[in-house]
Amino acid sequence: MEYSQYNVNALMYITPRPELVFTEGSGMWLTDNNGKRYLDYLQGWAVNCLGHSPQCIQDALIKQSKTLINPSPAFYNAPAIELASLLTANSCFDRVFFANSGAEANEGAIKLARKWGQKNKNGAFEIITFDHGFHGRTLATMSASGKPGWDTIFAPQVSGFPKADLNDIASVEKLITDKTVAVMLEPVQGEGGVLPASREFMQALRALTKKHNILLIVDEVQSGMGRTGSLFAYENSNVEPDIMTLAKGIGGGVPLAALLCKEEVACFVPGDQGGTYNGNPLITAVGIAVLKALLEPGFLASVQEKSAYLSKALLKLSEQFGLQGERGEGLLRALKLGSDIGPQIVEVARNMGPVGLLLNSPRPDLLRFMPALNVSIAEIDQMIDMLGQVLQQVKK
Ligand SMILES: *Cc1c(COP(=O)(O)O)cnc(C)c1O
């Protein structure tokens, strides 16, 4: 490898990585150190909602870096105020706290709910979360997650996260006690394998949480920012949650996250919450550019059109190769393989020539698709064509 003059083992080993170094990205395409190009259906794990290095992010970074990078979170800055105003104007929420990652935003949501419980519910602190849910990799967010094995690897867990089953309202109701302060879920479970919460379930959850005076928290780190074809996935089921978290898409590739809540829930007092980099103008300026692009007339309608096109094409592929169909919301979709060939498909697709294809298999019997929201129809056709070739080889 051209990069062998450096020791790759200077990096801590946390995941097996292919013997490649990616050197450039543009739109739906990545280029490696050998000059080979890849059609990228990962996009940094649903992060690059406008593709790799879009012009509007380049411009925002250059302009803001020449003006003001970080005055400290103890002072107001113009981009943070503008982005918070845009987010509240385009959602059901009133207040925003900016963070740097999805896990950090979710930690903030957990803290906010517990604080609200101290003030309003006699110290109730339990947050009901879901089997197969994913909320991040800090101790509390791992404890909130329902990933198999995560309850023991860094034991003891942070306590107070009983697990219910997605789309099973009785399983939630059963867990509610006088210690319960909130229910927290992803409107579409992403890492769990692209499993949408049904509209009926979201509505039943809202009714149940209202009845018991507990909070509804949506983790829209993956499902928010246009990914499902609406600006936020909660809109699809016509409910208004009390708290929402955002990350991934909101930064379009740079580290930005947000914790949003209704006015009645905004109960932090000075000293409760903060962070050195939170709401810095360099990164919130990018958030403004990204959100304005998503709010352009016709943008979300085009996400819906492309998701319908992708869904149909995946279904056709499924029929052609005897697979188990597809599911998802908007441009967060999964192809059900029917057998554990996912990892092999990922490998073969990446190694194809002359151009490769980058795919993700969150479970061995599933492929997940997270293209840029401005992916073209031609780039969908090309992916389907390439995946067809891979399936032909793998299913032989
Ligand atoms: C990715 C993800 C997170 C964690 O976000 P990080 O920025 O990696 O900390 C949390 N929740 C959901 C739903 C996610 O998809």
Side-chain angles (χ1 to χ4, degrees):
M1 216 162 52
E2 183 196 325
Y3 285 77
S4 58
Q5 76 247 41
Y6 303 112
N7 177 10
V8 295
N9 294 325
L11 290 169
M12 201 177 281
Y13 180 75
I14 53 144
T15 187
R17 293 183 171 111
E19 290 273 307
L20 295 169
V21 177
F22 287 104
T23 51
E24 270 174 64
S26 175
M28 280 293 291
W29 294 87
L30 271 176
T31 305
D32 74 14
N33 54 314
N34 301 310
K36 180 176 164 184
R37 297 176 77 231
Y38 301 80
L39 184 55
D40 182 11
Y41 270 74
L42 309 179
Q43 292 292 333
W45 268 256
V47 162
N48 306 320
C49 60
L50 301 173
H52 289 281
S53 294
Q55 191 65 49
C56 68
I57 292 186
Q58 295 179 38
D59 292 346
L61 282 171
I62 289 167
K63 181 159 175 262
Q64 192 58 43
S65 66
K66 289 182 176 175
T67 317
L68 179 66
I69 292 180
N70 196 348
S72 133
F75 298 121
Y76 288 121
N77 73 72
I81 298 167
E82 183 180 349
L83 181 55
S85 305
L86 277 172
L87 285 168
T88 53
N90 287 284
S91 72
C92 67
F93 302 100
D94 307 299
R95 300 276 189 150
V96 183
F97 171 79
F98 290 113
N100 311 287
S101 71
E104 189 191 1
N106 284 334
E107 283 273 344
I110 292 163
K111 285 167 65 177
L112 187 62
R114 286 188 173 191
K115 180 85 190 199
W116 184 85
Q118 285 174 10
K119 273 188 66 177
N120 301 292
K121 289 202 58 110
N122 253 330
F125 66 95
E126 283 192 353
I127 301 176
I128 297 170
T129 57
F130 291 83
D131 248 356
H132 302 290
F134 180 81
H135 299 294
R137 293 176 176 279
T138 61
L139 277 176
T141 55
M142 282 184 83
S143 306
S145 299
K147 253 178 114 111
W150 274 25
D151 47 342
T152 52
I153 38 179
F154 299 114
Q157 282 197 300
V158 176
S159 58
F161 297 100
K163 302 287 179 300
D165 298 319
L166 193 70
N167 292 327
D168 177 354
I169 195 72
S171 76
V172 181
E173 192 155 21
K174 214 167 57 188
L175 295 175
I176 294 178
T177 68
D178 56 2
K179 290 202 181 66
T180 309
V181 74
V183 176
M184 176 173 177
L185 81 163
E186 305 158 79
V188 183
Q189 285 189 343
E191 303 306 306
V194 192
L195 288 158
S198 71
R199 281 153 184 70
E200 301 72 47
F201 181 68
M202 290 296 287
Q203 286 171 5
L205 260 189
R206 182 67 282 189
L208 185 68
T209 48
K210 276 234 166 86
K211 180 176 142 200
H212 290 273
N213 186 32
I214 58 184
L215 303 173
L216 180 60
I217 305 172
V218 286
D219 174 349
E220 296 230 22
V221 167
Q222 193 159 151
S223 63
M225 302 305 287
R227 180 57 54 185
T228 69
S230 317
L231 195 53
F232 307 112
Y234 74 78
E235 298 169 49
N236 298 336
S237 44
N238 259 325
V239 300
E240 291 199 358
D242 303 293
I243 296 175
M244 172 172 76
T245 54
L246 299 171
K248 296 202 165 93
I250 191 176
V254 305
L256 175 62
L259 162 64
L260 297 91
C261 73
K262 297 269 202 185
E263 185 64 41
E264 324 67 275
V265 182
C267 58
F268 281 146
V269 297
D272 285 349
Q273 186 66 330
T276 306
Y277 297 114
N278 296 36
N280 72 77
L282 181 69
I283 300 304
T284 46
V286 173
I288 295 168
V290 168
L291 182 51
K292 282 187 172 166
L294 304 191
L295 292 171
E296 284 283 321
F299 187 91
L300 291 173
S302 82
V303 173
Q304 289 160 21
E305 274 163 39
K306 282 157 194 173
S307 83
Y309 188 88
L310 175 61
S311 164
K312 239 167 120 180
L314 288 173
L315 212 54
K316 208 170 135 202
L317 211 56
S318 170
E319 279 159 20
Q320 197 180 335
F321 289 94
L323 311 177
Q324 304 288 309
E326 69 96 44
R327 64 168 173 246
E329 298 256 6
L331 286 175
L332 181 57
R333 311 211 71 84
L335 182 62
K336 298 188 272 179
L337 300 167
S339 61
D340 291 353
I341 53 176
Q344 195 191 349
I345 291 177
V346 167
E347 193 80 13
V348 172
R350 193 180 63 240
N351 291 331
M352 274 174 105
V355 296
L357 171 64
L358 299 179
L359 294 171
N360 166 246
S361 172
R363 280 169 24 183
D365 61 347
L366 206 76
L367 291 177
R368 177 172 49 165
F369 303 85
M370 312 165 265
L373 302 182
N374 54 6
V375 63
S376 69
I377 294 290
E379 287 159 340
I380 295 176
D381 287 341
Q382 188 172 0
M383 182 276 287
I384 294 288
D385 182 57
M386 291 173 82
L387 181 53
Q389 293 175 44
V390 173
L391 281 165
Q392 205 122 46
Q393 195 177 326
V394 170
K395 295 277 283 184
K396 202 158 55 186

